[in-house]
Amino acid sequence: MNKYMKMAINEAKKGIYALHGGPFGAVIVKDNKVIGKGHNQVVKKNDPTCHGEIMAIHAACKKMKSFDLSGSVIYTTGEPCPMCLGAILWANIEKVYYGCNIVDTERIGFRDKAFYELDKTTFLKELDRKECLELYEMYQKINDKTNY
């Protein structure tokens, strides 16, 4: 068994035993060093965004003092949902290793598949684009966007 996946599994167990949420744990590694760990805390924090991967990203960013985790990989017990996959991509994590897939996750009562099948044409609607574009223009004029 891969040592980092074993750590992700142990992280998931910690969350299961503490009743923090689902069986999801994640570990982020850069240069063969763990820079972040996390487990699902949706129930504990009453927050649907507290998935294992997100919690590991929070920990890694805090440790690295950066929102850019380029050069890192993530090991997670379940195939990332669309939210987590988006966060992984935004963090510039370069590779994802996962244990269980979305079919396995659906079997235990999670609904990840529904997010992949979402009809965006009826769910997403553009509104007040002109006014919102002004924000984009304002942001674009800022020279140093990482040090406000």
Side-chain angles (χ1 to χ4, degrees), residues 1 33-34 39 58 70 79 83-84 89 108-109 117-118 125 147-148:
M1 172 183 281
K33 293 181 184 131
V34 174
H39 62 267
H58 286 176
S70 292
E79 183 175 352
M83 176 184 70
C84 292
L89 292 168
I108 63 166
E117 297 172 349
L118 179 67
K125 295 292 179 196
N147 191 15
Y148 290 98

Side-chain angles (χ1 to χ4, degrees), residues 28-31 35 57 60-61 64 66-74 87-95:
I28 301 174
V29 177
K30 183 174 183 174
D31 300 325
I35 61 169
I57 290 169
C61 288
M64 302 304 288
S66 176
F67 55 82
D68 185 353
L69 301 178
S70 292
S72 66
V73 298
I74 188 167
I88 289 165
L89 292 168
W90 279 114
N92 295 313
I93 294 171
E94 294 180 4
K95 187 91 168 170

Side-chain angles (χ1 to χ4, degrees), residues 69-117:
L69 301 178
S70 292
S72 66
V73 298
I74 188 167
Y75 297 81
T76 180
T77 58
E79 183 175 352
C81 72
M83 176 184 70
C84 292
L85 187 57
I88 289 165
L89 292 168
W90 279 114
N92 295 313
I93 294 171
E94 294 180 4
K95 187 91 168 170
V96 178
Y97 296 98
Y98 64 88
C100 297
N101 60 44
I102 61 169
V103 174
D104 301 322
T105 304
E106 188 175 29
R107 277 192 210 120
I108 63 166
F110 290 86
R111 57 191 176 104
D112 295 23
K113 187 177 170 188
F115 297 99
Y116 290 105
E117 297 172 349

Side-chain angles (χ1 to χ4, degrees), residues 47-65:
D47 183 339
T49 67
C50 290
H51 290 195
E53 297 92 337
I54 301 290
M55 303 310 287
I57 290 169
H58 286 176
C61 288
K62 185 175 181 179
K63 181 174 185 166
M64 302 304 288
K65 295 183 171 93

